[in-house]
Each structure stands twice: as C-alpha cells, then as structure tokens.
Amino acid sequence: AQKITQTQPGMFVQEKEAVTLDCTYDTSDQSYGLFWYKQPSSGEMIFLIYQGSYDEQNATEGRYSLNFQKARKSANLVISASQLGDSAMYFCAMRAVYGNNRLAFGKGNQVVVIP
Amino acid sequence: DAGVIQSPRHEVTEMGQEVTLRCKPISGHNSLFWYRQTMMRGLELLIYFNNNVPIDDSGMPEDRFSAKMPNASFSTLKIQPSEPRDSAVYFCASSFGTTITPETQYFGPGTRLLVL
C-alpha cells in the first residue's frame, strides 16, 4: 500500500518569497508517479506538477518545482515568488505505474500568502 | 477545451432522498474516478472506471452507493437513501491512461452535497 505524509502545520508566507511544502511517501513499487494538486478556497482541485520515479531531472512548471529525493522518498514542492493567489491547500499524491489506478493523497498543506 | 464537468454544483437534500451526481469526463479520456472529500477523512477514492468498465469499487462505502458509466462521456454516482453522514464534496476526475506512465487525473469542480 502507498502512504503519503504531509505534516507541516499551516504556513504563512510573505508575498514574493519562496515556500517549500514537504511530502514524504512510502511505497514498495519501483515505478511510480508523484503529483501535486492545489485546492483554493473555491474548492476545485488543480493539477500543478508531475514527477516520474525514473525521471533524472526534477520537474518544473513555471513557478512550481519539485525537489525529488528518491532515496529519502521525498517529493517537496517549491513555489517561487509567492503570489496572493497561491493561498490554498496543497496536496501531494502518488500512483504506481503498474497495478490499479488508485491515487493516494496526503492530508494537505495549508498555505496563506500575506502581502 | 472543456474540463471535467460535474452537476449539480451544490445539492441540499433531506435524509432518505435519492441523490444523483453527474459527470462528463474530458473528451478522449478513458479513465474516470469518483472521489469524496471530507474534513475527517480527506480525499477518498470511491470507484474508478476504465473504458466504461468499473475496475475498483472497493472504496464505495456501502450498498446505498452505486455508480454507472453507460458511455465514454457520462457517469453517475447515486446515493439511495441518503444520510447526513454522506454530506461531503464529491469530485469526478478523468485521465487518459497508458501502460507506461501513471497518467495525470484532472478533476471537476466538485458537487457539494448536504444531507439534512
């Protein structure tokens, strides 16, 4: 079974600063994918970034980057130059390549960006 | 392109009533997922379909819940009879699956269900 751990308390971040959200995972699968989703107060789940377990480079998507440390089983999300619109809950998730399509989610990290 | 479409966006009903949630996946996607989100339990996968066939329904809470996918562009999640503990946000998500990579799931806006 896969397990995602996000244990940081709610975070306040100054606008224009960077923030790192921690995510650790536990799996016996060798091939898997890691995802980050954003859920603003309006409630929708927005896909941000994906990292494959065999990808040698850390994934980047605009201001989002994923600090992937496979040996440590961590997949931290870095948001650079925070904006007020980044205030949201952020969820880390993973799914094995082989097997069923079940996406395992963490409990989420709350981020509030302050001006 | 249109994303995943869910209806209704909000539903308030009384205990014992039947509730039907609807989902239209992204065109061309072959997998569809129903999730439930509550404060206590977070995001839970209820059921998922691949090519319109239910693959894993182990997350469906009990017999009061049922899901169908009659074609590639439509799915329903039905609760009958509804109970107050079913109050939650229900998300539908879709993806295009291959056997090579774990595909990204794209979520709909969710249906906020309140059972009184």
Side-chain angles (χ1 to χ4, degrees):
Chain A
Q2 298 146 353
K3 183 180 178 182
I4 304 291
T5 301
Q6 295 177 263
T7 56
Q8 283 170 304
M11 304 173 69
F12 289 91
V13 182
Q14 199 75 43
E15 196 177 8
K16 298 180 184 175
E17 291 189 349
V19 59
T20 298
L21 306 180
D22 296 339
C23 171
T24 58
Y25 58 92
D26 189 18
T27 182
S28 57
D29 294 296
Q30 296 300 309
S31 300
Y32 50 88
L34 295 153
F35 304 81
W36 277 92
Y37 288 85
K38 170 185 178 182
Q39 187 174 40
S41 58
S42 51
E44 68 267 35
M45 291 286 287
I46 303 166
F47 165 69
L48 295 178
I49 194 167
Y50 163 80
Q51 176 85 43
S53 60
Y54 285 107
D55 292 341
E56 294 186 356
Q57 302 277 351
N58 284 342
T60 60
E61 286 288 347
R63 295 186 298 110
Y64 304 107
S65 60
L66 204 152
N67 183 1
F68 180 48
Q69 298 184 46
K70 191 172 181 177
R72 290 186 166 188
K73 292 189 175 179
S74 76
N76 298 340
L77 177 70
V78 180
I79 306 173
S80 62
S82 298
Q83 301 173 356
L84 296 178
D86 294 334
S87 296
M89 186 74 85
Y90 290 82
F91 291 92
C92 179
M94 75 169 294
R95 201 215 125 203
V97 170
Y98 305 108
N100 67 39
N101 257 316
R102 187 172 287 273
L103 193 60
F105 281 89
K107 296 292 187 185
N109 299 96
Q110 181 73 52
V111 173
V112 176
V113 180
I114 53 177
Chain B
D1 289 340
V4 176
I5 298 172
Q6 290 187 248
S7 65
R9 295 292 305 275
H10 303 271
E11 177 80 29
V12 181
T13 190
E14 292 186 345
M15 183 174 64
Q17 297 297 306
E18 177 180 295
V19 175
T20 299
L21 311 181
R22 298 172 177 79
C23 175
K24 177 179 170 54
I26 293 172
S27 177
H29 282 189
N30 60 355
S31 293
L32 183 140
F33 309 81
W34 282 102
Y35 290 90
R36 179 170 67 176
Q37 186 179 33
T38 60
M39 288 294 292
M40 291 296 294
R41 300 173 68 94
L43 268 161
E44 305 173 275
L45 178 68
L46 300 177
I47 185 171
Y48 85 87
F49 296 84
N50 184 253
N51 294 321
N52 311 339
V53 177
I55 302 299
D56 182 356
D57 65 355
S58 59
M60 295 286 263
E62 48 201 89
D63 292 346
R64 297 185 298 107
F65 285 68
S66 63
K68 294 182 179 180
M69 191 165 187
N71 57 60
S73 59
F74 184 66
S75 177
T76 60
L77 177 68
K78 187 175 292 187
I79 309 172
Q80 166 62 23
S82 58
E83 297 181 2
R85 60 188 168 129
D86 302 330
S87 298
V89 180
Y90 290 82
F91 287 102
C92 176
S94 71
S95 67
F96 175 70
T98 71
T99 58
I100 301 174
T101 58
E103 64 279 8
T104 297
Q105 296 180 19
Y106 294 91
F107 284 70
T111 294
R112 283 154 185 77
L113 173 65
L114 177 62
V115 183
L116 302 173

